[in-house]
Amino acid sequence: MAKVVETTLRGPEAYGLARRVLDEMEAAGVWPTPVNFELWLHHLGEPEGPLGQEIRRILAAGEPFTEAVSDMLAAEYLPRGRLSEEIRDAGRVLDRELTSVATAIAKAHKNQSEYGQVLAGASADMEGAASPESLRTVVDGLATATRKVQKQNADLEKRLDASTREVARLREHLEQVRRDAMTDALTNLANRKAFDEHLEACVEAAHRDGRDLVLAVVDIDHFKRFNDTWGHQTGDQVIRYVASVLGRLARTPRMAARYGGEEFAVIFPNEDSATVEAALEDVRTEIASRSLRRRSTDDELGAVTISAGHARLARGETAAALLGRADEALYASKHGGRNRVTCAESAQRAAA
Ligand code: C2E
């Protein structure tokens, strides 16, 4: 996470910083969108931080700084700040609701004890009532006090209902915020942060329960060529296409995520390598079987192919080590000519 830059700076320095951000973005050929501005602000604050390094890597590799890339970086490096702001807002609303409910309950207590006193007084008055008139006065007084307390109870109930609704709305909103922070905007798959957390949890569960777990990494072949030939918008469509096929494959408890620009990862809990291999082969052939068209010109883009690698969790293995082996299997697919699936364990056995 990048060091927090003084983004709320007020005063002449704020203009200086903003100008530096704009100059550097212009020099790098990056559009001054709000997201890019925020990314660059953090990048300047800590050029050696993970965000700074990733931005430098992208620029050095000559990779285009598309909207999709900005969204990915923002999701990876900026969400916590935004999320915590939303959570702070929600906390404030919750605080207000709780105070209001606490006040209403305190008031209800007071009303009830007043009503108790009225009842006690009425009981004493009744005992001493000498005539039907004085009895009627006592009963009238009681009826008035009862109506008052009934109305107060109804008001309290209304207040509690409103609070319950507000808290439910808040919960839904927070759930949406949480989902957004975990979702890749271009593909609607899980983002890398969500994936990393889920993989850690799955690895832990698989070790604990002694169950199988297979991890696959998938990469679009020659993606840069697509981008360079047809433009970034078409490149983004290709990513969406592959994501849509992977998304169909990865119904719960499987999980597919966009792991990097054109790289995806899929977690297969409780499945063995043979089943995963067959599932990935289906995806590979499905993707390669369709010829895409460029929407703006209807040009034929040709077939998109993917390379994949998968590895089965070994005893005591960490998530990072599993990911490393799945990555190696992916590279074996790339080196073997692309448009193929490699199983890490089979490759290892073949090499032995
Ligand atoms: P999208 O453009 O948002 O389309 C979502 C879904 O709507 C597609 O899912 C498909 O089921 C349907 N759809 C949209 N346009 C057409 C169409 O012209 N003909 C037919 N038969 N169905 C259509 P699908 O196929 O899984 O694609 C997911 C995403 O992949 C699309 O999102 C788009 O971003 C990309 N994509 C898929 N095929 C192509 C293509 O031939 N050209 C381009 N440029 N992008 C494509």
Side-chain angles (χ1 to χ4, degrees):
M1 187 65 175
K3 189 164 70 190
V4 178
V5 185
E6 191 41 270
T7 47
T8 53
L9 202 63
R10 300 282 182 275
E13 320 92 280
Y15 293 106
L17 181 62
R19 265 191 289 273
R20 254 186 75 212
V21 168
L22 287 176
D23 286 348
E24 298 225 0
M25 284 165 73
E26 192 170 4
V30 170
W31 295 119
T33 63
V35 175
N36 286 344
F37 187 87
E38 197 178 348
L39 286 169
W40 243 259
L41 202 56
H42 286 273
H43 165 36
L44 285 193
E46 196 191 16
E48 291 312 315
L51 172 63
Q53 284 183 20
E54 183 60 9
I55 288 180
R56 274 211 311 282
R57 187 197 65 72
I58 291 170
L59 296 179
E63 291 173 20
F65 216 88
T66 58
E67 234 170 87
V69 170
S70 306
D71 286 346
M72 286 273 301
L73 290 175
E76 175 72 12
Y77 298 100
L78 302 178
R80 270 170 251 187
R82 291 206 190 122
L83 193 60
S84 61
E85 217 168 273
E86 297 265 8
I87 290 168
R88 266 201 305 277
D89 284 350
R92 269 195 289 273
V93 177
L94 207 57
D95 219 33
R96 200 183 61 209
E97 287 305 318
L98 283 179
T99 310
S100 138
V101 167
T103 313
I105 288 173
K107 201 164 154 223
H109 257 294
K110 189 165 160 274
N111 293 338
Q112 290 296 341
S113 89
E114 277 172 11
Y115 185 54
Q117 280 164 15
V118 170
L119 285 183
S123 146
D125 288 350
M126 271 181 184
E127 275 169 22
S131 65
E133 269 70 46
S134 50
L135 201 58
R136 176 164 309 133
T137 312
V138 175
V139 171
D140 282 352
L142 264 182
T144 310
T146 304
R147 272 196 301 277
K148 189 174 161 205
V149 91
Q150 269 172 344
K151 182 175 176 316
Q152 284 161 346
N153 280 346
D155 287 349
L156 176 67
E157 217 167 279
K158 245 198 247 162
R159 185 72 208 81
L160 287 179
D161 270 355
S163 271
T164 308
R165 274 198 305 275
E166 181 64 8
V167 170
R169 190 193 63 77
L170 213 58
R171 183 175 296 156
E172 217 168 274
H173 174 65
L174 277 179
E175 182 53 29
Q176 184 59 45
V177 169
R178 199 186 64 79
R179 268 199 302 270
D180 287 351
M182 295 293 200
T183 304
D184 171 59
L186 180 69
T187 61
N188 265 335
L189 294 181
N191 64 19
R192 184 168 175 164
K193 179 174 148 40
F195 172 81
D196 285 341
E197 282 179 18
H198 193 60
L199 179 63
E200 285 289 347
C202 286
V203 165
E204 203 184 303
H207 285 317
R208 188 189 55 229
D209 305 335
R211 290 180 184 241
D212 276 340
L213 177 73
V214 177
L215 173 67
V217 277
V218 174
D219 192 84
I220 303 175
D221 294 330
H222 299 302
F223 180 71
K224 196 165 173 329
R225 209 188 282 167
F226 266 107
N227 255 342
D228 293 347
T229 315
W230 304 106
H232 316 317
Q233 277 187 352
T234 304
D236 283 355
Q237 300 280 310
V238 169
I239 291 175
R240 275 164 62 87
Y241 171 56
V242 171
S244 74
V245 180
L246 282 174
R248 283 197 291 276
L249 156 93
R251 301 259 180 258
T252 316
R254 295 173 175 174
M255 185 216 218
R258 182 164 174 222
Y259 198 66
E262 69 271 20
E263 191 171 278
F264 302 87
V266 190
I267 303 172
F268 297 85
N270 301 331
E271 290 187 69
D272 60 23
S273 302
T275 329
V276 170
E277 176 94 12
L280 290 171
E281 270 300 332
D282 284 350
V283 165
R284 187 189 65 75
T285 39
E286 182 181 344
I287 288 175
S289 69
R290 182 150 145 197
S291 178
L292 302 194
R293 285 186 174 277
R294 190 182 191 204
R295 294 225 161 119
S296 51
T297 57
D298 212 30
D299 282 322
E300 186 91 31
L301 302 177
V304 175
T305 64
I306 56 156
S307 295
H310 61 95
R312 177 169 168 257
L313 183 70
R315 191 173 298 205
E317 191 174 36
T318 62
L322 176 64
L323 197 54
R325 287 196 306 114
D327 253 336
E328 276 171 28
L330 166 65
Y331 282 105
S333 286
K334 293 276 184 192
H335 289 306
R338 299 185 165 86
N339 190 18
R340 66 191 62 206
V341 177
T342 302
C343 166
E345 292 75 26
S346 309
Q348 201 181 3
R349 274 196 297 277

